[in-house]
């Protein structure tokens, strides 16, 4: 009901979900782009021989800079990566909501939509690391133009309609 996906594999921790996902899809030499990989996400990509590529916007790298969505991914860098990398080397793309490794910074719905559209254009499955998805949706409601009249559950639905799947720890926002 929350995510709208037809299948659910319950696991006791997010790192186990990551392990199942990446041990199934990632092979040596592959890359997994993300706004910022959480430490266990990075470890699960790398233990399978992949490279975890962080593509957060420049503002997200500077704590002193004010920006409402410092967790956004740099869509220009994503496009270049997708254009320059053979498709078979990118098994999936991820986005962490909120951006835990970036200080828990939120990602705009507009940015999630843009990333999803790039993934569709290049035929790359799009997965969300849903560690703090409800918190992220709250920030969307409070900070993003055009989202103030929507409820947090409506924004959550809009987010996950853009994804092919997700990983998460049910100890968190779930």
């Amino acid at each position: 009901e929350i995510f709208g996906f037809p299948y659910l594999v319950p696991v006791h921790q997010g790192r186990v979900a990551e392990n199942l996902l990446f041990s199934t899809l990632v092979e040596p030499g592959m890359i997994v782009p993300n706004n910022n990989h959480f430490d266990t996400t990075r470890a699960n990509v790398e233990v399978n021989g992949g490279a975890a590529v962080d593509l957060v916007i420049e503002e997200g790298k500077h704590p002193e800079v004010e920006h409402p969505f410092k967790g956004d991914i740099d869509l220009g860098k994503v496009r270049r990566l997708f254009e320059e990398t053979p498709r078979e080397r990118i098994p999936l793309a991820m986005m962490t909501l909120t951006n835990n490794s970036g200080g828990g910074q939120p990602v705009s719905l507009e940015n999630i939509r843009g990333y999803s559209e790039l993934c569709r254009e290049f035929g790359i499955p799009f997965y969300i690391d849903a560690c703090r998805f409800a918190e992220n949706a709250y920030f969307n409601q409070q900070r993003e133009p055009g989202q103030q009249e929507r409820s947090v559950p409506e924004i959550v639905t809009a987010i996950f309609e853009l994804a092919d799947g997700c990983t998460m720890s049910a100890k968190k926002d779930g």
Side-chain angles (χ1 to χ4, degrees):
E1 291 176 28
I2 294 172
F3 303 115
F5 299 126
Y7 302 103
L8 172 73
V9 179
V11 294
H12 70 287
Q13 290 181 315
R15 69 190 75 174
V16 176
E18 296 163 357
N19 181 298
L20 290 171
L21 181 65
F22 299 131
S23 67
T24 302
L25 297 179
V26 176
E27 297 176 2
M30 292 182 164
I31 61 171
V32 178
N34 198 338
N35 48 353
N36 275 115
H37 289 79
F38 188 64
D39 57 359
T40 60
T41 314
R42 178 178 306 285
N44 277 302
V45 169
E46 293 175 354
V47 77
N48 288 289
V53 178
D54 295 334
L55 298 171
V56 72
I57 60 172
E58 192 61 32
E59 294 87 344
K61 299 175 187 176
H62 304 284
E64 72 282 1
V65 173
E66 290 288 326
H67 190 284
F69 294 104
K70 291 173 79 170
D72 282 359
I73 196 163
D74 186 321
L75 296 174
K77 288 181 181 178
V78 171
R79 176 170 288 284
R80 283 190 296 283
L81 178 73
F82 287 179
E83 289 173 346
E84 296 170 0
T85 306
R87 166 62 190 91
E88 64 273 6
R89 288 195 53 221
I90 307 174
L92 73 152
M94 293 204 71
M95 178 168 273
T96 306
L97 306 176
T98 57
N99 180 3
N100 275 357
S101 292
Q105 295 295 324
V107 180
S108 69
L109 182 56
E110 177 184 11
N111 190 254
I112 299 166
R113 186 175 294 111
Y115 192 28
S116 175
E117 289 170 0
L118 279 171
C119 289
R120 301 277 178 270
E121 179 182 338
F122 287 86
I124 297 168
F126 174 49
Y127 278 72
I128 293 175
D129 176 343
C131 56
R132 302 262 188 241
F133 71 91
E135 177 181 283
N136 198 93
Y138 174 77
F139 282 119
N140 296 135
Q141 182 193 56
Q142 297 300 307
R143 296 180 179 179
E144 192 162 355
Q147 301 305 317
Q148 287 73 29
E149 301 304 317
R150 295 174 86 180
S151 70
V152 168
E154 288 172 327
I155 295 169
V156 167
T157 297
I159 289 170
F160 285 95
E161 285 175 346
L162 298 168
D164 296 302
C166 75
T167 59
M168 73 169 282
S169 167
K171 295 178 185 178
K172 294 184 178 134
D173 277 356

